[in-house]
Amino acid sequence: MISEPSSLLSSVFVLLMILKTSALDKYIAAVYEHSVILSEATQKPVSSEEALKLMNKNMDILEEAIQTAATQGAHIIVTPEDGIYGFNFTRETLYPYLEDIPDPQANWIPCDDSQRFGPAPVQERLSCLARDNSIYVVANIGDKKQCDYMDPKCPSDGHYQYNTNVVFDSDGKLVARYHKYNLFKTEVQFDFPKKPELVTFNTSFGKFGIFTCFDILFHDPAVTLVSKLKVDTILFPTAWMNVLPHLTAVEFHSAWAVGMQVNLLSANTHKTGMNMTGSGIYAPDGSHAYHYDVESENGTLLISELNSRPSVSPTYLPMVNWSLYASNIKPFPEDRNFRGLIFFDEFTFSKLKSQAGNLTVCQKDLCCHLSYRMIEQREDEVYVLGAFDGLHVVEGEYYLQICTLLKCKNTDLQTCGESVTTAHTHFGSFSLSGTFSTNYVFPEVLLSGVQLAPRGIQVLNDGQLISQNGTSKPILTVTLFGRWYEKDPPHPAQVPLRGYGQNMSALSLQYFLVFLLFIHTVL
Ligand SMILES: *[C@@H]1O[C@H](CO)[C@@H](O)[C@H](O)[C@H]1NC(C)=O
Ligand SMILES: *[C@@H]1O[C@H](CO)[C@@H](O)[C@H](O)[C@H]1NC(C)=O
Ligand SMILES: *[C@@H]1O[C@H](CO)[C@@H](O)[C@H](O)[C@H]1NC(C)=O
Ligand SMILES: *[C@@H]1O[C@H](CO)[C@@H](O)[C@H](O)[C@H]1NC(C)=O
Ligand SMILES: *[C@@H]1O[C@H](CO)[C@@H](O)[C@H](O)[C@H]1NC(C)=O
Ligand SMILES: *[C@@H]1O[C@H](CO)[C@@H](O)[C@H](O)[C@H]1NC(C)=O
Ligand SMILES: *[C@@H]1O[C@H](CO)[C@@H](O)[C@H](O)[C@H]1NC(C)=O
Ligand SMILES: *[C@@H]1O[C@H](CO)[C@@H](O)[C@H](O)[C@H]1NC(C)=O
């Protein structure tokens, strides 16, 4: 029997509705590394028309990337931090670029009703791009929020300015707003939010969390989103300046995804003159797609499929104990040590003298063990094993425990730790481990040409980072980058009010008492 056309149609419709709303095991992610068009450096603020003109130029380029990603089936696309207005602003010159971004609970589709919270041309355009292409769009823009004397922290110009990520769903609705908590020291144009915001949202392809750039080095909100709120994927707009050997974008961000066992969609700004390049689609088993380009000024779109819920996938690692192996073996013989600097931190180093061997280097509480075999030992390249256990204090304060195997810049041991981007030494195998006091350790492997290792590197449950059969390219560094968050100094926004602030609040209190007295007298 043939069913009535109308009932057939309605069953198809119901089926489509189910497909659209039911959970997906996999989804397609896109990130766009954008070569941002910068504003002219001016001392005076431009008009809001001029500000919008520049932002529209950048959004014209993002629009192409969004359309291409959608055409290729992407469910979500991440664009970079500062990707719409650039950087190098003062507080005053940034102001014309800002919009009031409401709490997503307002249930707002700017594409339908752009004036509801005042002028919002940027949010309107992003919302329409999301809706017209039926794709989630993640972007980084600036939020402004008025405040007054009742708030002792209110800046003297009467408003806050926040570095803000926004997410519009595939209907164009604003579903997430996140104010960056760990501002980089040069971001004087922005204010800190009062406390770290834990921003998440659900989709049919998993639970998402979001933060920005420098946030990835700190506990809040980054670690809390993964360990407490159990998000499946982190959205990560960034404007990351690469620092070798341990903090280049592709290296550190892929390592964070592996260490935290979470998906991470990282979209970097592209500005080679500022060492900004390196975006990727990372998962608990490593990099699915990445891009690193110091040759051109071109933007690049990356697209890759990911598990919607990596924690229930078969490749998910059971909990790693990062110190188990290292704490339970008899340390290898320690050779003669020397000191050297990596990004202002004083490491203890020991040279890899023979073609194969076992070596231990210690600093304070941390001992690093390495077993290795080189395919051939070259005369013109020197490798060291290094250990660092201490507070990093330049461009931010954070406590590190690091075990690293790295190539020195040249055969002079004084160059160990300096930037080097190429190598020729192939390792047949290695195992690196350390007696970490923290269980937050990010395993990095960086190969010649600042490339990631596709596969063949493994993290074992006992905390060894191993390669049994060597890597596809020569090694720049193999590193266990540990973060001991408990030893970090307090966040700048959480330091109790001092000086001006304290005097101000004391002053406000005085005024309040006078005001009460006044009311009392009048009544
Ligand atoms: C930033 O702007 C100032 C002027 O406001 C200019 O002197 C400086 O060169 C600019 N820096 C960069 C990196 O563009
Ligand atoms: C997401 O869904 C989970 C259950 O699947 C629920 O517990 C949680 O409250 C939801 N979160 C949000 C932000 O809607
Ligand atoms: C970029 O990196 C190189 C090599 O590490 C360094 O010499 C240079 O100062 C960096 N440039 C900027 C703008 O930080
Ligand atoms: C950059 O883009 C231009 C124009 O699309 C193209 O001709 C050039 O080959 C690209 N360069 C690289 C290194 O991809
Ligand atoms: C890991 O193993 C060490 C050494 O056996 C043990 O002291 C520590 O408690 C373990 N850590 C975790 C997080 O299970
Ligand atoms: C390194 O130690 C392992 C046992 O831990 C041993 O099997 C191996 O022979 C040693 N390698 C060298 C070169 O000493
Ligand atoms: C390493 O090579 C051996 C022999 O070729 C092979 O049996 C083993 O599976 C390889 N291991 C990995 C992790 O690829
Ligand atoms: C705050 O007040 C104290 C005295 O109460 C004074 O010594 C200090 O200079 C003031 N600080 C500022 C920044 O005004």
Side-chain angles (χ1 to χ4, degrees):
M1 199 191 125
I2 299 168
S3 35
E4 298 276 321
S6 65
S7 79
L8 184 69
L9 262 183
S10 65
S11 354
V12 168
F13 180 72
V14 167
L15 189 69
L16 281 177
M17 287 305 289
I18 290 171
L19 278 179
K20 192 164 188 242
T21 52
S22 69
L24 301 173
D25 289 342
K26 295 187 179 277
Y27 73 102
I28 298 176
V31 306
Y32 184 65
E33 179 159 317
H34 174 44
S35 184
V36 63
I37 302 167
L38 299 178
S39 61
E40 311 251 329
T42 59
Q43 309 290 332
K44 279 215 200 87
V46 299
S47 66
S48 47
E49 290 75 25
E50 227 174 300
L52 184 57
K53 211 166 121 194
L54 174 88
M55 294 193 283
N56 271 323
K57 277 194 207 162
N58 278 305
M59 284 192 286
D60 290 345
I61 301 171
L62 299 183
E63 175 166 354
E64 271 186 57
I66 291 165
Q67 284 169 346
T68 310
T71 313
Q72 298 187 27
H75 295 82
I76 188 165
I77 180 168
V78 184
T79 64
E81 183 186 26
D82 302 329
I84 291 178
Y85 47 66
F87 22 71
N88 198 21
F89 290 107
T90 62
R91 188 175 176 84
E92 292 73 30
T93 59
L94 180 70
Y95 189 74
Y97 296 84
L98 307 177
E99 290 182 359
D100 200 325
I101 305 170
D103 186 321
Q105 289 195 341
N107 204 8
W108 182 42
I109 300 180
C111 194
D112 281 343
D113 180 11
S114 70
Q115 297 293 316
R116 186 168 147 202
F117 300 97
V122 176
Q123 292 171 88
E124 180 185 12
R125 185 162 180 195
L126 292 170
S127 160
C128 294
L129 283 173
R131 187 167 73 179
D132 296 349
N133 294 288
S134 199
I135 185 173
Y136 279 70
V137 170
V138 183
N140 176 264
I141 56 179
D143 188 9
K144 58 180 176 190
K145 285 282 167 285
Q146 279 192 352
C147 53
D148 58 30
Y149 65 92
M150 294 297 283
D151 173 355
K153 288 195 170 172
C154 182
S156 55
D157 54 10
H159 66 274
Y160 290 102
Q161 307 192 160
Y162 298 117
N163 176 333
T164 310
N165 295 336
V166 286
V167 183
F168 297 94
D169 73 7
S170 48
D171 297 323
K173 188 168 92 176
L174 178 70
V175 291
R177 176 192 68 181
Y178 168 71
H179 297 134
K180 184 178 183 183
Y181 186 56
N182 297 284
L183 294 170
F184 196 61
K185 66 168 182 125
T186 53
E187 288 186 281
V188 292
Q189 69 271 40
F190 291 116
D191 299 303
F192 292 108
K194 293 198 172 68
K195 51 183 186 3
E197 299 170 358
L198 297 166
V199 175
T200 64
F201 61 94
N202 284 337
T203 71
S204 58
F205 48 99
K207 182 173 179 182
F208 286 74
I210 190 164
F211 55 79
T212 316
C213 201
F214 202 39
D215 281 330
I216 200 171
L217 274 161
F218 299 90
H219 189 274
D220 289 305
V223 173
T224 307
L225 285 172
V226 181
S227 58
K228 291 239 164 59
L229 298 182
K230 310 280 182 208
V231 300
D232 300 298
T233 299
I234 293 287
L235 304 167
F236 182 61
T238 184
W240 191 275
M241 283 194 267
N242 292 321
V243 182
L244 283 163
H246 298 145
L247 285 170
T248 61
V250 294
E251 173 193 32
F252 186 65
H253 303 157
S254 62
W256 198 85
V258 175
M260 296 303 297
Q261 290 287 287
V262 72
N263 294 328
L264 179 76
L265 309 185
S266 163
N268 201 357
T269 300
H270 189 85
K271 271 285 155 239
T272 56
M274 295 181 73
N275 291 339
M276 284 179 191
T277 177
S279 304
I281 297 176
Y282 308 122
D285 61 350
S287 167
H288 285 219
Y290 75 99
H291 174 74
Y292 173 87
D293 164 31
V294 286
E295 304 300 325
S296 85
E297 287 305 323
N298 293 356
T300 302
L301 179 66
L302 295 174
I303 296 184
S304 185
E305 190 178 67
L306 287 175
N307 286 322
S308 300
R309 287 166 192 79
S311 58
V312 299
S313 92
T315 55
Y316 191 71
L317 271 182
M319 177 81 170
V320 175
N321 181 332
W322 286 102
S323 62
L324 188 57
Y325 176 82
S327 307
N328 288 306
I329 63 165
K330 192 166 148 284
F332 301 131
E334 286 192 55
D335 212 327
R336 220 182 51 179
N337 292 333
F338 61 97
R339 297 255 163 171
L341 287 182
I342 299 182
F343 195 34
F344 308 98
D345 298 325
E346 197 179 50
F347 277 65
T348 306
F349 288 130
S350 184
K351 184 176 160 183
L352 274 57
K353 289 209 175 110
S354 38
Q355 189 173 341
N358 294 313
L359 199 61
T360 293
V361 168
C362 300
Q363 186 179 101
K364 293 194 204 157
D365 290 342
L366 179 68
C367 284
C368 304
H369 307 310
L370 175 72
S371 298
Y372 71 96
R373 185 173 54 81
M374 298 175 189
I375 305 275
E376 62 152 347
Q377 192 177 18
R378 296 172 61 101
E379 299 268 294
D380 60 347
E381 293 193 335
V382 168
Y383 284 79
V384 289
L385 175 65
F388 177 72
D389 184 351
L391 183 68
H392 174 88
V393 296
V394 177
E395 295 181 349
E397 300 193 352
Y398 39 91
Y399 200 98
L400 298 173
Q401 282 192 324
I402 295 178
C403 289
T404 185
L405 159 69
L406 60 83
K407 187 197 144 178
C408 302
K409 186 168 186 183
N410 57 45
T411 52
D412 178 356
L413 291 179
Q414 298 221 320
T415 66
C416 300
E418 288 181 24
S419 275
V420 51
T421 57
T422 57
H424 299 94
T425 302
H426 280 277
F427 282 73
S429 64
F430 60 77
S431 155
L432 180 67
S433 60
T435 58
F436 293 98
S437 313
T438 172
N439 214 35
Y440 292 101
V441 176
F442 311 119
E444 304 184 324
V445 179
L446 196 62
L447 305 180
S448 186
V450 192
Q451 300 298 302
L452 297 180
R455 54 186 63 85
I457 311 291
Q458 276 182 286
V459 173
L460 304 186
N461 298 347
D462 63 6
Q464 288 183 81
L465 178 57
I466 65 162
S467 168
Q468 285 173 325
N469 295 338
T471 51
S472 55
K473 291 197 170 85
I475 287 175
L476 290 178
T477 179
V478 174
T479 301
L480 293 169
F481 189 103
R483 277 286 285 114
W484 195 351
Y485 300 111
E486 289 88 347
K487 295 198 114 184
D488 284 357
H491 184 279
Q494 304 310 332
V495 175
L497 289 175
R498 244 187 275 119
Y500 182 68
Q502 197 166 47
N503 293 2
M504 275 309 282
S505 50
L507 217 60
S508 330
L509 185 64
Q510 265 173 34
Y511 280 128
F512 185 61
L513 291 178
V514 170
F515 175 71
L516 280 186
L517 195 69
F518 170 76
I519 298 279
H520 186 250
T521 324
V522 168
L523 298 179

